Amino acid sequence: SLCRLKDLEMAKLGDSDVHVKMLAAPINPADINMIQGTYAILSELPAVGGNEGVGQVVEIGSRVTSVKPGDWVIPADTGLGTWRTEAVFPEGTLLRVPSDIPVLCAATLSVNPCTAYRMLADFETLRPGDSVIQNAANSGVGQAVIQIAKASGIRTINVVRDRPDLPKLVERLMSLGADHVITEEMLRKPDMKDLFKSIPKPRLALNCVGGKSTTEMLRHLQHKGTMVTYGGMAKQPVMVPVSAFIFKDVKLRGFWMTQWKKDQMHNKDNLESMIQSLCELIRKGQLTTPACTEIPLEDYRTALEASMKPFTSSKQILIL
């Protein structure tokens, strides 16, 4: 009930503005949190929802140099408000992306694949043969981690919650390039010793759950390894056994894509080269979009409801 569909007047096109016709925009957990007011960013109200998506440039202001009509663009930062059919945005808030990649890949590029890319690159120097462990491995970020790691020869141990259709999920993650898919229960079992006969202990753990899942994951981290927390789906704190700190000297870090992008605002080179690398992977077929359900904007209520159901394995994408 916090959301409704409205017709708005289009802003005038200024010299440094870009008129964009939106094509597609996903619904991510952070978008819902922002609407609920539980996220670290609060928008000035009334606000347009959606932090991610892809649009096509219709017209540009006289001073605009980075894009031209016909180009595809995605948000360079959080809070753009992508759940709309068209808008006028300042040039600096947009990033050009190649239009030869599938539209749903472009629409889901700026949050999850970027988060996965940065976490694999920025905390530990991983080499081919090294391994990474992650929970909520079937999330958008989790699926991107599996594929980006696979393309770099890094092996993944993927933790998921037990569920009725577990074999189907395991099969899907394996087909993306996962090396091992295990349930949270298995994480606690002595059988894990057997797993580490064929794969080195991970140097990096990626956590978006919190609570017990995290404590169990930490047990398997290598000496001096790093655990990066980027979400807290269990809404429970990260608990670390004292022994892990003292005897394993593990590092606990946090990552927030929005902050990373803010830090890059003065110099978009890192952002642009990351987008380029990700588009390369997409073209080679090494990075695909998560399972998506396309929903027309008029049916946004259905899409919002579906995106809040537990065990959702399909991302809701608004087609604009």
Side-chain angles (χ1 to χ4, degrees), residues 47-103:
V48 179
N51 291 294
E52 188 179 36
V54 62
Q56 186 163 35
V57 176
V58 180
E59 197 187 345
I60 59 172
S62 56
R63 292 217 193 101
V64 171
T65 55
S66 62
V67 294
K68 56 186 188 314
D71 284 350
W72 280 11
V73 287
I74 62 173
D77 202 0
T78 312
L80 197 61
T82 52
W83 299 348
R84 53 174 129 200
T85 52
E86 55 187 318
V88 169
F89 298 117
E91 176 183 20
T93 61
L94 302 169
L95 263 188
R96 193 174 74 81
V97 290
S99 54
D100 65 348
I101 60 173
V103 70

Side-chain angles (χ1 to χ4, degrees), residues 207-266:
N207 163 50
C208 78
V209 178
K212 252 203 196 82
S213 162
T214 311
T215 313
E216 297 297 338
M217 232 175 25
L218 263 178
R219 270 175 221 269
H220 304 296
L221 207 54
Q222 255 187 51
H223 189 77
K224 288 189 186 299
T226 304
M227 183 174 77
V228 183
T229 292
Y230 67 98
M233 284 158 65
K235 297 190 166 52
Q236 288 161 352
V238 168
M239 309 282 275
V240 184
V242 171
S243 60
F245 266 140
I246 299 174
F247 303 120
K248 286 175 88 173
D249 191 16
V250 295
K251 297 187 275 302
L252 296 193
R253 300 287 307 273
F255 182 76
W256 188 31
M257 194 65 222
T258 300
Q259 188 60 49
W260 186 89
K261 284 182 175 166
K262 276 206 172 49
D263 298 344
Q264 307 297 319
M265 271 335 243
H266 54 282

Side-chain angles (χ1 to χ4, degrees), residues 71-205:
D71 284 350
W72 280 11
V73 287
I74 62 173
D77 202 0
T78 312
L80 197 61
T82 52
W83 299 348
R84 53 174 129 200
T85 52
E86 55 187 318
V88 169
F89 298 117
E91 176 183 20
T93 61
L94 302 169
L95 263 188
R96 193 174 74 81
V97 290
S99 54
D100 65 348
I101 60 173
V103 70
L104 296 183
C105 284
T108 54
L109 186 61
S110 65
V111 177
N112 295 332
C114 289
T115 302
Y117 186 98
R118 293 267 56 103
M119 292 194 303
L120 288 169
D122 294 352
F123 295 93
E124 287 281 343
T125 310
L126 298 170
R127 297 188 180 83
D130 285 346
S131 81
V132 173
I133 189 167
Q134 63 166 345
N135 54 23
N138 58 316
S139 66
V141 172
Q143 293 179 50
V145 164
I146 291 170
Q147 296 172 83
I148 296 166
K150 174 81 174 170
S152 325
I154 295 157
R155 295 189 278 171
T156 56
I157 302 161
N158 302 282
V159 185
V160 296
R161 287 182 295 177
D162 200 2
R163 62 195 65 212
D165 58 347
L166 185 67
K168 220 167 89 186
L169 175 62
V170 171
E171 195 184 321
R172 206 179 86 221
L173 297 183
M174 297 297 265
S175 75
L176 293 178
D179 294 276
H180 298 275
V181 182
I182 58 175
T183 62
E184 308 235 332
E185 290 68 40
M186 197 187 146
L187 205 48
R188 302 187 186 114
K189 294 215 165 96
D191 314 2
M192 287 297 286
K193 280 200 179 60
D194 295 335
L195 186 108
F196 291 119
K197 284 177 184 157
S198 65
I199 190 171
K201 288 213 159 189
R203 297 250 303 281
L204 180 67

